[in-house]
Amino acid sequence: MEFHDHAGNKVILTLDDQPDSNNKHVLIITNYNGKYLLTHNKFRGVEFPGGKVEQKETSLEAAKRELYEETGGVIDTIRYIGTYTVYAEPSFKKDVYYARISTIEEQDDYMETNGPVIVTKLDEVAESDRSFILKDDCINYIVGILQKDGEYNVQQNED
């Protein structure tokens, strides 16, 4: 499926069974007791947790680490959804995961974020506080898929 990001770059979403071991970024769409567990990035605003895959780390390991570092979220279950490819200069790919969070542990330091933000609906986050990731059509499409999948109790953004 094709989308465009905030900068007008083409984005392709590929729904796969397994992550690509060459992808160097991750994004985690979260569900904490039927609510979204987001993070407040100090530079970009409120968004889903995610980040870079470190050397000798799988994307799954990176997803678990990033989610915990940025929110204190402890994963109950996690599943891979697909690959988000941005055709920019240079192009890059993100592995997108969906995680159910069992608990949130308070952290002394949330790295480059101000810590967890919990909302029932994504539109509870003020437009001016949303990062470009939270406004992304492709990411919101994935959220819509999860919301329509009766297995998940998440709310779709109503924008």
Side-chain angles (χ1 to χ4, degrees):
M1 283 169 232
E2 185 172 322
F3 301 88
H4 289 87
D5 69 7
H6 70 288
N9 297 308
K10 180 170 78 169
V11 173
I12 299 290
L13 174 63
T14 307
L15 302 175
D16 298 320
D17 293 331
Q18 297 292 322
D20 182 334
S21 62
N22 296 318
N23 294 351
K24 300 299 179 201
H25 297 86
V26 294
L27 180 80
I28 309 97
I29 298 174
T30 54
N31 180 340
Y32 175 63
N33 294 331
K35 298 179 181 181
Y36 295 101
L37 173 60
L38 307 170
T39 189
H40 186 248
N41 183 287
K42 293 177 183 176
F43 306 102
R44 292 188 300 261
V46 178
E47 60 191 21
F48 285 107
K52 293 184 180 177
V53 178
E54 294 180 354
Q55 204 169 27
K56 297 185 180 183
E57 184 178 52
T58 67
S59 72
L60 178 59
E61 291 167 338
K64 292 176 179 180
R65 177 185 49 77
E66 289 286 351
L67 185 124
Y68 188 77
E69 286 177 355
E70 295 181 0
T71 68
V74 176
I75 295 172
D76 180 33
T77 61
I78 187 167
R79 74 173 171 101
Y80 172 74
I81 293 177
T83 299
Y84 175 104
T85 304
V86 179
Y87 292 91
E89 216 28 73
S91 63
F92 63 94
K93 296 180 178 187
K94 291 182 186 187
D95 286 334
V96 181
Y97 290 88
Y98 174 74
R100 285 180 170 253
I101 310 306
S102 58
T103 59
I104 298 173
E105 296 178 355
E106 189 172 335
Q107 306 292 328
D108 291 332
D109 180 13
Y110 291 99
M111 309 301 279
E112 69 276 3
T113 79
N114 293 321
V117 175
I118 300 169
V119 296
T120 303
K121 296 181 180 178
L122 293 178
D123 60 4
E124 290 175 28
V125 179
E127 183 73 23
S128 60
D129 291 337
R130 296 180 196 181
S131 85
F132 63 87
I133 295 169
L134 211 56
K135 298 175 186 178
D136 188 278
D137 289 340
C138 181
I139 300 306
N140 282 300
Y141 173 79
I142 295 169
V143 169
I145 290 173
L146 293 171
Q147 193 253 344
K148 289 174 187 171
D149 182 351
E151 170 177 6
Y152 303 105
N153 184 25
V154 294
Q155 303 284 325
Q156 184 175 9
N157 187 341
E158 296 177 357
D159 286 348

